[in-house]
Amino acid sequence: MNRLWYHVVAFLVVAVWGSTFVFTKLLLLNGLTAAQIFVLRFILAYVLLLAFSLTRKHFRLLSASLKDELLMVGLGVFGGSLYFLTENSSMNYTTTTNTSLIVCLCPLFAALLISIFYRSERLNGIQTVGSLMAALGVVVVVLNGHFVLHLSPLGDTLAFAACLCWAVYSLLMIPVNKRYDTVFITRKVFFYGLLSMIPYFIVRPEMPPLSVVLRQDVLINLFFLGFVASMLCFLAWNWVMKHLGEVVVTNYVYFNPVTTVLFAWIILSERITVYFLMGTLLILTGMYLCNQKVSKRRVDN
């Protein structure tokens, strides 16, 4: 029953992250840039998580060693600033479809990268078929019957870079999850994610007017992105990684476009097509095949 609960939490996190595209779009329409949205949501998440950490009995400021602290820096850069910058920048040079398609295929990159360093995490034949089937489902959902891709070398390269960033984040989570608790790791991700954004804002010093940030609809969207989609979801994501394994949990990213379409249908009244249903079925079947075998090899902490 506990293992089922971990899978439910992983799915719920991806469902929330799928909705962030919609809430981010609403903030973009209010005049905020992607970099501003990232910084504001991470500041909110870090402040709330730091306040919570200070109430705990054993508050920890630094990692046990310089090597571990550098791993935390890597998590903040690859899972925070660099990931969001490459993903959002790619949409300035290529289509949203291309970006979504490439980024949502990151489980394949993560599985390949992790298998290079950890033999125990390698996929077997059934798991590989399941992962490829889920990836095909993502393609069907994202393309939505329009099987034409407009290639853009720079934009597509940035999207692949974002995909690789998340794969590296998943890889780096393996050693730190063995030595530190989820709250400490997540707080470090937010801190170094924000710290590594300083060079970007030195080059492009831009922050939204206070009058815009304090508007009720903007505050509500920022609170959702900062508290729910960042703080709670990163905590939950890192927690289930500790119990199910990085490969299994990263595979849930395949559900991201499904939840995005559902929220766009609910909030923006966008249409659901037969391709969405076909792709969702492929993703569900692929995830079943992939998780069925991997979970048996993982022992809960």
Side-chain angles (χ1 to χ4, degrees):
M1 185 62 184
N2 284 340
R3 184 169 294 281
L4 176 61
W5 173 241
Y6 298 140
H7 285 283
V8 170
V9 171
F11 175 79
L12 289 176
V13 169
V14 171
V16 172
W17 282 345
S19 73
T20 60
F21 289 98
V22 177
F23 289 96
T24 300
K25 183 176 181 178
L26 293 173
L27 288 174
L28 291 170
L29 292 174
N30 277 284
L32 277 71
T33 67
Q36 292 168 358
I37 295 169
F38 165 75
V39 168
L40 289 172
R41 67 185 279 189
F42 261 47
I43 287 176
L44 178 59
Y46 179 73
V47 170
L48 291 173
L49 194 54
L50 179 62
F52 172 74
S53 298
L54 290 171
T55 65
R56 304 179 79 199
K57 197 169 186 179
H58 303 289
F59 174 76
R60 179 176 216 150
L61 183 62
L62 297 173
S63 305
S65 66
L66 177 61
K67 178 183 177 182
D68 286 352
E69 194 67 20
L70 290 175
L71 283 174
M72 299 297 179
V73 174
L75 288 173
V77 172
F78 288 104
S81 56
L82 192 57
Y83 169 77
F84 282 96
L85 283 177
T86 51
E87 181 187 54
N88 292 325
S89 298
S90 71
M91 288 187 282
N92 293 326
Y93 303 99
T94 188
T95 63
T96 304
T97 298
N98 282 32
T99 300
S100 300
L101 181 59
I102 294 170
V103 171
C104 286
L105 295 179
C106 77
L108 289 177
F109 285 75
L112 177 61
L113 186 62
I114 291 173
S115 69
I116 294 174
F117 292 90
Y118 295 91
R119 180 175 296 182
S120 62
E121 296 289 343
R122 290 177 182 174
L123 301 179
N124 61 30
I126 294 178
Q127 296 156 17
T128 302
V129 170
S131 188
L132 291 175
M133 186 177 293
L136 177 60
V138 169
V139 173
V140 174
V141 170
V142 173
L143 294 183
N144 195 28
H146 304 288
F147 300 103
V148 178
L149 287 176
H150 302 281
L151 298 180
S152 169
L154 178 57
D156 294 343
T157 299
L158 286 169
F160 275 113
C163 192
L164 186 58
C165 281
W166 196 255
V168 173
Y169 175 81
S170 301
L171 176 67
L172 296 180
M173 280 298 298
I174 295 176
V176 299
N177 257 333
K178 295 176 181 177
R179 296 194 285 272
Y180 301 95
D181 67 86
T182 303
V183 174
F184 178 75
I185 295 170
T186 308
R187 197 181 81 235
K188 286 292 186 178
V189 171
F190 294 146
F191 176 75
Y192 284 117
L194 288 169
L195 195 65
S196 57
M197 281 294 291
I198 292 176
Y200 175 86
F201 279 96
I202 291 176
V203 176
R204 302 185 63 179
E206 48 176 21
M207 284 305 290
L210 193 60
S211 58
V212 174
V213 176
L214 293 179
R215 283 169 47 183
Q216 184 178 4
D217 55 337
V218 172
L219 281 175
I220 292 173
N221 286 331
L222 282 175
F223 181 78
F224 175 81
L225 291 174
F227 177 65
V228 180
S230 293
M231 192 187 88
L232 293 183
C233 283
F234 267 86
L235 278 173
W237 189 258
N238 294 340
W239 176 67
V240 293
M241 270 190 174
K242 188 184 288 286
H243 293 281
L244 292 179
E246 288 67 25
V247 174
V248 174
V249 175
T250 304
N251 278 335
Y252 274 95
V253 174
Y254 286 134
F255 283 114
N256 203 304
V258 175
T259 55
T260 299
V261 172
L262 286 175
F263 275 98
W265 172 62
I266 295 170
I267 298 175
L268 303 177
S269 300
E270 294 188 4
R271 190 167 60 94
I272 287 181
T273 67
V274 66
Y275 295 102
F276 168 79
L277 300 175
M278 290 169 54
T280 300
L281 181 61
L282 282 170
I283 293 171
L284 288 171
T285 305
M287 285 293 296
Y288 175 79
L289 293 175
C290 196
N291 289 336
Q292 197 70 1
K293 296 293 181 181
V294 177
S295 60
K296 292 180 180 178
R297 298 189 316 194
R298 189 79 177 190
V299 178
D300 290 344
N301 292 343

